[in-house]
Amino acid sequence: MDTLFNTKFEGEPATHTQPGVQLQSNTYDLQESNVGLKLTIVSTVGFGDQINKEDSYRPIVEFIDAQFEAYLQEELKIRRLLHNYHDSRIHACLYFIAPTGHSLKSLDLVTMKKLDSKVNVIPIIAKSDAISKSELTKFKIKITSELVSNGVQIYQFPMDDEAVAEVNGTMNAHLPFAVIGSTEELKIGNKMVKVRQYPWGTVQVENEAHCDFVKLREMLIRVNMEDLREQTHSRHYELYRRCKLEEMGFKDTDPDSKPFSLQETYEAKRNEFLGELQKKEEEMRQMFVQRVKEKEAELKEAEKELHEKFDRLKKLHQDEKKKLEDKKKSLDDEVNAFKQRKTAAELLQSQGSQAGGSQTLKRDKEKKNFYCFTVNSAVCCMLHETQGPAFFNLVFSSCTKSKGEDCHCRRVRVPYCLKSETNQFPLPPKCVRIHTHTHTHTHTTQVFTVSLCPGKTPSPDLRGILNGSVLC
């Protein structure tokens, strides 16, 4: 495109990794001498790069239809401003064909077939210097035959104007054009020309012996530009407009072949629309009523199930309550019977204790045993049994005061039953470990181990343990 319009257009080359076909539209204001041109170039980025190419043409067709629809909406306005309206309709489609030298791809045939009724399709063989002259001629013939056999209608330069009929007839025979593009310039002779340089030589873009670039530029820009615009408006746009209005219900004549009034068409279409709307409203109302009834039935069924569940749980609760009351009554009877037996047993026990209590008290008063022993002839200890067999009172002393004198030695209350620390005696041992206590008198810290049996005199075998003698 830069070579065709001799202008450096902005934009970066697109990659071939697009997930789909994207159309990028750019508008430029070109000026050459006193002639201005507003040019819009639409690039089909990613076309043919996907694995599945079945719908690759669809975004292009939708874009063209969108431009037609925008123009139609402007045309149907009450106050139209078509003379100031920017016409964005596509007037020409330059369809570039890869120089394979064999035949057209299926994607090319399908896409051009979909586009020929919407835009002026001009097939172009790109990079034509990639194949030889003989191969190029055969390739052009092959492309033309395939287009005709598949019913693809490409743009033909008009023959109705005598001024250009001869030139256009010649140019139609050269279709599809084989072109080469380049912005690199090289001075050949006394003139700067656009070329492509190779190790084997130089290809001149504007040399008709090398490619058809000059033919394309002449036919597209200088000779047939207005015809392209006219064909777009009178053929492709009118076809779209007619189909669109027919979809909306508008016709040129009624069934009686009389002119069809726009007002009548509008009223008929409006009545048809209101009828469809009322029908849909009635269907929606019936559907709503049906859904309400179904929901009410579901709620009633759920309510019935809840009542049944409540009655079942209530009956179960009553049964459990009755069982607990019966069990409570049974336990109360057992407690009352136990209290009666306990009262009778306490009464019998009190009567038996009153009878034997006097004899036990007399025997305890008469019983008072003293056990005396000495250890190393230095410490005197005296044990005597007090009221009840629960404890012994142990008084130990190492003072030199005579018997009967006041002694402030410590008194120790010892449990009656203690674990035995020795197994040397046949009698049940009642052992206590006694640590002597230092007080106002001089003591030597001693540890005594005493084995006693209440009511009996200690055995002489204690002498070996106490290292002393037993005194009565």
Side-chain angles (χ1 to χ4, degrees):
M1 300 304 294
D2 294 353
T3 310
L4 184 63
F5 292 94
N6 197 23
T7 304
K8 179 63 176 178
F9 295 110
E10 298 179 358
E12 302 227 351
T15 62
H16 295 274
T17 59
Q18 299 292 334
V21 180
Q22 299 179 358
L23 277 75
Q24 297 179 355
S25 177
N26 297 294
T27 303
Y28 306 94
D29 291 323
L30 305 181
Q31 186 77 23
E32 184 175 355
S33 298
N34 295 326
V35 179
L37 177 66
K38 195 167 188 177
L39 177 66
T40 300
I41 300 176
V42 181
S43 302
T44 56
V45 180
F47 178 76
D49 292 335
Q50 295 75 34
I51 296 176
N52 184 6
K53 304 177 178 62
E54 183 179 358
D55 296 330
S56 295
Y57 68 89
R58 195 176 302 278
I60 304 173
V61 173
E62 292 175 354
F63 181 83
I64 296 174
D65 288 343
Q67 310 314 309
F68 285 155
E69 181 65 25
Y71 191 87
L72 177 61
Q73 293 299 325
E74 181 66 24
E75 194 177 47
L76 293 176
K77 287 182 180 180
I78 297 176
R79 297 184 60 183
R80 299 183 296 179
L81 300 174
L82 294 178
H83 61 283
N84 292 329
Y85 178 75
H86 173 55
D87 188 5
S88 60
R89 294 175 295 179
I90 307 300
H91 300 103
C93 173
L94 303 181
Y95 195 95
F96 290 93
I97 301 171
T100 59
H102 303 291
S103 60
L104 290 173
K105 299 178 182 178
S106 299
L107 176 63
D108 298 332
L109 290 172
V110 171
T111 303
M112 283 192 281
K113 182 63 178 177
K114 295 291 182 180
L115 294 177
D116 63 357
S117 61
K118 298 181 180 295
V119 69
N120 300 313
V121 179
I122 302 176
I124 297 174
I125 300 174
K127 300 178 182 180
S128 61
D129 56 341
I131 55 178
S132 64
K133 284 286 184 179
S134 59
E135 290 176 344
L136 183 60
T137 304
K138 293 179 181 179
F139 190 40
K140 284 186 176 183
I141 297 172
K142 183 69 173 177
I143 291 173
T144 304
S145 63
E146 287 184 352
L147 292 175
V148 173
S149 62
N150 287 278
V152 179
Q153 298 179 2
I154 63 175
Y155 175 73
Q156 295 288 329
F157 301 117
M159 303 291 293
D160 52 355
D161 189 355
E162 295 180 359
V164 294
E166 184 179 355
V167 176
N168 286 342
T170 305
M171 292 300 106
N172 286 332
H174 285 82
L175 289 174
F177 293 129
V179 301
I180 301 169
S182 175
T183 57
E184 181 182 355
E185 292 186 349
L186 181 66
K187 187 175 182 180
I188 298 179
N190 296 326
K191 187 178 179 180
M192 298 295 295
V193 295
K194 292 182 173 62
V195 299
R196 293 186 69 88
Q197 297 187 48
Y198 296 99
W200 45 264
T202 302
V203 178
Q204 299 179 23
V205 175
E206 297 178 343
N207 189 340
E208 294 188 27
H210 293 178
C211 68
D212 299 330
F213 176 79
V214 175
K215 297 182 179 66
L216 173 64
R217 184 175 61 186
E218 291 290 329
M219 293 297 101
L220 186 65
I221 300 176
R222 298 178 181 176
V223 179
N224 298 302
M225 179 181 289
E226 287 300 323
D227 184 72
L228 289 170
R229 297 179 64 182
E230 182 64 25
Q231 286 289 328
T232 300
H233 181 78
S234 61
R235 179 187 171 192
H236 302 298
Y237 171 70
E238 285 299 325
L239 178 62
Y240 175 84
R241 179 177 173 274
R242 185 176 72 243
C243 295
K244 194 70 175 180
L245 293 177
E246 287 177 354
E247 288 178 5
M248 296 171 64
F250 295 99
K251 297 180 180 179
D252 294 333
T253 58
D254 59 9
D256 297 333
S257 299
K258 294 181 179 181
F260 206 78
S261 172
L262 183 63
Q263 180 67 24
E264 293 177 358
T265 303
Y266 171 76
E267 291 294 337
K269 193 68 178 178
R270 183 174 181 273
N271 294 333
E272 181 183 355
F273 175 75
L274 291 177
E276 292 179 358
L277 184 63
Q278 186 176 3
K279 182 179 179 181
K280 289 183 178 180
E281 184 179 357
E282 182 65 21
E283 291 177 355
M284 292 180 64
R285 190 186 65 81
Q286 293 178 0
M287 185 181 298
F288 177 75
V289 172
Q290 181 65 23
R291 289 186 178 181
V292 169
K293 290 181 179 179
E294 292 176 357
K295 195 65 177 179
E296 287 180 352
E298 292 178 0
L299 292 175
K300 288 182 179 179
E301 186 67 22
E303 184 180 4
K304 182 179 179 181
E305 292 178 358
L306 287 175
H307 281 300
E308 293 177 354
K309 185 177 181 180
F310 175 77
D311 294 339
R312 185 169 62 255
L313 292 176
K314 184 177 180 181
K315 183 177 179 181
L316 182 62
H317 173 71
Q318 291 176 352
D319 295 341
E320 292 292 336
K321 184 178 180 181
K322 184 177 180 181
K323 289 180 181 179
L324 290 175
E325 289 178 352
D326 295 342
K327 190 173 182 180
K328 180 181 178 183
K329 183 178 180 181
S330 176
L331 291 174
D332 290 341
D333 294 341
E334 291 180 3
V335 169
N336 293 332
F338 175 76
K339 288 181 178 180
Q340 292 178 1
R341 292 195 299 271
K342 180 180 178 181
T343 303
E346 289 177 350
L347 181 61
L348 292 175
Q349 185 177 2
S350 62
Q351 291 176 358
S353 61
Q354 289 178 0
S358 58
Q359 296 179 0
T360 304
L361 181 59
K362 182 177 180 181
R363 185 169 58 253
D364 289 341
K365 287 182 179 180
E366 291 177 352
K367 181 179 179 181
K368 187 175 182 180
N369 298 321
F370 292 91
Y371 307 103
C372 300
F373 55 90
T374 60
V375 179
N376 292 331
S377 300
V379 180
C380 297
C381 295
M382 179 176 65
L383 274 74
H384 61 87
E385 189 176 3
T386 59
Q387 296 179 359
F391 293 93
F392 283 110
N393 284 332
L394 174 62
V395 181
F396 63 91
S397 173
S398 61
C399 63
T400 56
K401 291 187 178 182
S402 60
K403 185 178 180 180
E405 290 182 354
D406 191 12
C407 179
H408 299 284
C409 300
R410 180 183 177 191
R411 295 177 179 271
V412 181
R413 188 170 180 81
V414 183
Y416 177 74
C417 295
L418 298 172
K419 271 190 176 183
S420 174
E421 295 183 8
T422 178
N423 295 322
Q424 297 181 7
F425 309 107
L427 297 176
K430 302 295 184 289
C431 302
V432 67
R433 182 172 292 276
I434 304 170
H435 296 270
T436 56
H437 177 70
T438 304
H439 51 83
T440 54
H441 303 289
T442 303
H443 289 89
T444 301
T445 300
Q446 300 282 349
V447 178
F448 302 98
T449 302
V450 182
S451 179
L452 301 174
C453 182
K456 294 184 180 181
T457 304
S459 171
D461 293 333
L462 287 172
R463 295 175 183 175
I465 296 175
L466 299 177
N467 195 17
S469 58
V470 178
L471 301 177
C472 296

